[in-house]
Amino acid sequence: MRVIFLGPPGAGKGTQAKRIMDACAIPQLSTGDMLRSAVAAKTAVGVRAKEVMDSGALVSDDIVNQIVSDRIDMDDCKSGFILDGFPRTVPQAEALTNILREKGLDLTAVIELRVDEDALVERMRSRVAETIANGGVVRSDDNPEAFRTRLHEYREKTAPLSEYYAKTGELKTVDGMADMDAVTASIRKVLRLD
Ligand code: AMP
């Protein structure tokens, strides 16, 4: 099974992707997590990406396309994977189509979590409070200014992907405002996991 999760920052993509990953025993490929690891390890990509990520802007398509293409070649992706946070621009979606075609793979579904944008800033604040309460490290882009930029980037560059995947017939929309278990149930239904 090969699935893409689409939705704005704070829509719950990461949480839902983890649940489906556990249910299907396939990895969650989060470009955000991969880039944060590169930043922490101070790799060449990490050094280039850090400032852009901290501002809430998007890292260049070339960097993320390569990271994803390399990651899909790894053994644990043989039975499938969940893409969380990629693609985020139309050129990335086009690159992914080519990457999958070259590898002889296809997509099972593109799941869009539709959420009310007014709720997103509040969700980000709750995530920060929860992380602090659990003694975790708050993401450097989970602050009001970077979050505004992340939302802007989403509206400008990522939202058009709904239309892109509607045209390919792969888009499935799920109500992301329902409680977490109900959202998981809707996704399971779309993926025919029950
Ligand atoms: P995320 O964890 O998905 O919210 O991503 C955190 C940050 O990583 C984003 O704000 C971007 O700076 C960068 N990033 C993650 N995925 C991508 C992507 N597909 N394209 C460009 N930048 C990305």
Side-chain angles (χ1 to χ4, degrees), residues 17-45:
K18 276 194 186 74
R19 289 179 169 199
I20 300 303
M21 165 180 101
D22 290 342
C24 301
I26 53 174
Q28 168 202 17
L29 311 188
S30 156
T31 40
D33 285 350
M34 292 186 243
L35 288 165
R36 280 185 285 277
S37 298
V39 170
K42 296 195 168 67
T43 65
V45 163

Side-chain angles (χ1 to χ4, degrees), residues 82-161:
I82 301 169
L83 285 168
D84 160 18
F86 180 92
R88 252 188 169 89
T89 65
V90 171
Q92 287 180 20
E94 290 165 349
L96 179 65
T97 301
N98 291 331
I99 288 168
L100 293 177
R101 190 181 299 129
E102 277 165 19
K103 298 182 197 294
L105 304 172
D106 55 12
L107 281 176
T108 309
V110 177
I111 298 177
E112 177 188 44
L113 298 181
R114 189 153 285 172
V115 290
D116 171 0
E117 284 203 13
D118 295 340
L120 296 176
V121 175
E122 204 34 60
R123 284 191 181 192
M124 184 271 290
R125 285 189 208 282
S126 313
R127 176 160 78 183
V128 169
E130 208 174 292
T131 306
I132 292 170
N134 293 332
V137 179
V138 174
R139 279 172 49 164
S140 50
D141 58 354
D142 265 350
N143 60 72
E145 200 188 330
F147 197 79
R148 252 196 308 278
T149 306
R150 285 160 65 198
L151 264 183
H152 176 79
E153 293 281 71
Y154 172 79
R155 284 190 206 109
E156 294 285 308
K157 298 176 184 163
T158 312
L161 292 184

